[in-house]
């Protein structure tokens, strides 16, 4: 499994998610949503991304993949941790 992590600068939740990932064996790539390349890449997942009441994307956006296939999209480490434990 690998991941794509979409974050934004100065986002406390994003930093917490990155700290959590350092404690796992998962490998992946981070995308900074203040950059054009990252904004283009996140569009692939727009139909599956959670949004708040105003329609804004909820950050961070963690896309877990298995052989290039999306197996889950998570917004906080607890969601991901629970999902990983359910598969163990």
């Amino acid at each position: 499994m690998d991941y794509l992590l979409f974050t934004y600068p100065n986002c406390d939740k994003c930093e917490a998610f990155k700290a959590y990932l350092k404690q796992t064996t998962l490998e992946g790539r981070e995308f900074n949503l203040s950059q054009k390349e990252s904004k283009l890449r996140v569009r692939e997942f727009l139909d599956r991304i959670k949004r708040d009441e105003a329609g804004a994307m909820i950050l961070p956006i963690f896309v877990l993949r298995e052989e290039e296939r999306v197996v889950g999209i998570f917004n906080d480490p607890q969601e991901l941790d629970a999902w990983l434990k359910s598969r163990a």
Side-chain angles (χ1 to χ4, degrees), residues 48-62:
R48 299 180 68 181
I49 291 174
K50 295 178 190 171
R51 295 180 179 272
D52 65 14
E53 305 81 38
M57 294 184 291
I58 298 173
L59 296 176
I61 301 165
F62 180 87

Side-chain angles (χ1 to χ4, degrees), residues 42-51 57 70 73:
V42 78
R43 289 181 180 181
E44 296 175 39
F45 310 104
L46 285 180
D47 62 330
R48 299 180 68 181
I49 291 174
K50 295 178 190 171
R51 295 180 179 272
M57 294 184 291
V70 175
I73 296 181

Side-chain angles (χ1 to χ4, degrees), residues 17-80:
F17 210 120
K18 289 189 270 187
Y20 166 80
L21 288 173
K22 288 180 182 176
Q23 301 170 26
T24 72
T25 59
L26 296 172
E27 293 186 19
R29 182 169 175 207
E30 180 182 350
F31 292 87
N32 180 332
L33 287 171
S34 68
Q35 299 174 351
K36 184 178 180 178
E37 172 196 355
S38 300
K39 290 176 185 177
L40 293 172
R41 187 70 194 264
V42 78
R43 289 181 180 181
E44 296 175 39
F45 310 104
L46 285 180
D47 62 330
R48 299 180 68 181
I49 291 174
K50 295 178 190 171
R51 295 180 179 272
D52 65 14
E53 305 81 38
M57 294 184 291
I58 298 173
L59 296 176
I61 301 165
F62 180 87
V63 180
L64 186 61
R65 305 183 312 169
E66 195 164 51
E67 297 177 10
E68 300 292 320
R69 184 179 57 86
V70 175
V71 295
I73 296 181
F74 307 95
N75 296 103
D76 67 61
Q78 293 78 19
E79 285 180 327
L80 174 59

